[in-house]
Amino acid sequence: MKVAIFSDVQANLPAMEVAVARILDWSPDLVIMDGDLVNRGPSSLECLQLFERLRREHGWLPVRGNHETWMLRCQREAPRDALDARMRAFADWTLHQIAPALETLNQWPDHLCFHAGSETSWVHVTHGTMRGNRHGVTAALPDETLRDGALPEGVALFVTAHTHRPLTRVLDGLPILNVGSVGSPFDGDPRGSYALLEFHQGRWQWEIVRFDYDRERARRTFLDSGFIEQGGPLAHILYEEWHRAQLLMPQWRERFETEVLSGTLALETAVDSFLAELDTPPD
């Protein structure tokens, strides 16, 4: 049995198109998109339309990520105030873009399980962990945190995503596979990633595939789509995360969010200061 699993496209159509072509060439028996197809990037509707076509024509299966959950929440809940509206402007920009297909996300499950024909070959796939789709597995996450309700029982392999960093880890005999990110890796390597699994001689084997794509086309789409211009100040940080293949938003939140939320520092000033620091060489 051959299975391809990819995740965290984050509305990057050029990267998704390359990943899709390579996966189709491999001719898998099953393909799972493990969440965060949309948001954080400029082409959410196009990525969603492409995936729905693959779902109809090839039976590809979705899992809901935290960004799909957030889109549905943004649909239900208006911004609390003007500041909240500016801080989530990129999400509302995406929400407006995918509005014709938004209800599709309601049909996506949080978890998928499959097997290769035996009770000892079950695989559990979710975007985060059993604790939620915003709970990611990293190399530094303590074992005890994972043992505290984060992992499924009775499976041969647990597949996750969310962190945008490929990873293989074993805990108490359970292999944990993080497939990384197609569209916005955070491990310093700008190439996309996905996983190929094969059940061979009674056990699962897998490979993390890294691939190049047209990043100049992706950059132009970021700039020309309106995502950065209309997505509010935080869209500029999201672009830098994609450009640098590095997670930056937690650093901004730690440095500036308290002052912004208290009203002592303007959101735009906080973002400009943070971006200027990124381009300032250390002493």
Side-chain angles (χ1 to χ4, degrees):
M1 183 178 189
K2 297 167 61 175
V3 182
I5 303 177
F6 69 97
S7 184
D8 295 277
V9 172
Q10 305 292 184
N12 184 339
L13 184 62
M16 182 179 178
E17 288 176 339
V18 172
V20 165
R22 293 178 62 130
I23 289 171
L24 288 173
D25 284 345
W26 192 59
S27 300
D29 301 297
L30 174 66
V31 180
I32 297 173
M33 188 284 300
D34 194 14
D36 282 9
L37 181 68
V38 303
N39 204 28
R40 276 185 157 266
S43 303
S44 289
L45 181 60
E46 293 89 343
C47 289
L48 185 55
Q49 290 171 334
L50 173 57
F51 179 76
E52 285 301 301
R53 178 172 63 80
L54 293 162
R55 190 179 180 187
R56 291 191 306 269
E57 296 178 2
H58 298 281
W60 290 22
L61 298 177
V63 170
R64 186 186 302 174
N66 57 293
H67 280 276
E68 285 82 35
T69 299
W70 194 19
M71 288 298 98
L72 294 169
R73 179 179 173 183
C74 287
Q75 180 195 35
R76 297 190 306 268
E77 302 175 12
R80 296 185 300 273
D81 51 36
L83 175 59
D84 188 38
R86 294 204 304 280
M87 292 186 71
R88 70 176 235 189
F90 68 90
D92 286 325
W93 185 90
T94 298
L95 181 65
H96 178 76
Q97 186 186 56
I98 67 172
L102 187 64
E103 286 307 310
T104 300
L105 307 185
N106 265 322
Q107 305 168 16
W108 293 5
D110 294 317
H111 303 264
L112 280 177
C113 295
F114 64 91
H115 63 78
S118 68
E119 285 300 315
T120 59
S121 63
W122 279 100
V123 177
H124 189 117
V125 182
T126 192
H127 183 71
T129 71
M130 306 303 289
R131 295 172 63 178
N133 61 19
R134 293 183 60 84
H135 186 244
V137 179
T138 64
L141 190 68
D143 290 350
E144 290 309 313
T145 301
L146 285 171
R147 290 189 179 107
D148 188 19
L151 301 177
E153 298 180 357
V155 298
L157 175 64
F158 178 57
V159 180
T160 180
H162 183 60
T163 66
H164 297 218
R165 296 182 177 95
L167 173 72
T168 297
R169 178 173 172 177
V170 179
L171 180 64
D172 300 330
L174 174 63
I176 302 167
L177 173 63
N178 191 317
V179 301
S181 169
V182 164
S184 187
F186 289 159
D187 61 350
D189 185 342
R191 297 176 301 163
S193 72
Y194 59 89
L196 301 179
L197 287 65
E198 289 192 77
F199 194 72
H200 183 64
Q201 295 183 342
R203 59 187 292 267
W204 286 104
Q205 302 175 30
W206 56 86
E207 173 191 4
I208 294 291
V209 177
R210 301 304 293 252
F211 65 93
D212 293 307
Y213 65 94
D214 189 343
R215 283 178 57 82
E216 174 57 26
R217 177 186 162 206
R219 186 191 69 84
R220 292 196 306 269
T221 306
F222 265 103
L223 299 178
D224 296 343
S225 65
F227 176 79
I228 296 177
E229 180 182 352
Q230 301 168 30
L234 294 182
H236 293 267
I237 298 179
L238 299 180
Y239 171 77
E240 287 298 325
E241 289 185 321
W242 168 80
H243 177 68
R244 298 167 187 257
Q246 179 183 359
L247 181 62
L248 299 173
M249 194 64 76
Q251 299 175 37
W252 180 85
R253 292 187 185 281
E254 182 178 357
R255 290 285 313 282
F256 295 102
E257 188 174 48
T258 299
E259 289 182 89
V260 169
L261 293 177
S262 69
T264 59
L265 183 65
L267 175 61
E268 293 78 4
T269 302
V271 170
D272 289 344
S273 297
F274 179 73
L275 295 177
E277 290 177 4
L278 292 179
D279 293 326
T280 301
D283 295 333

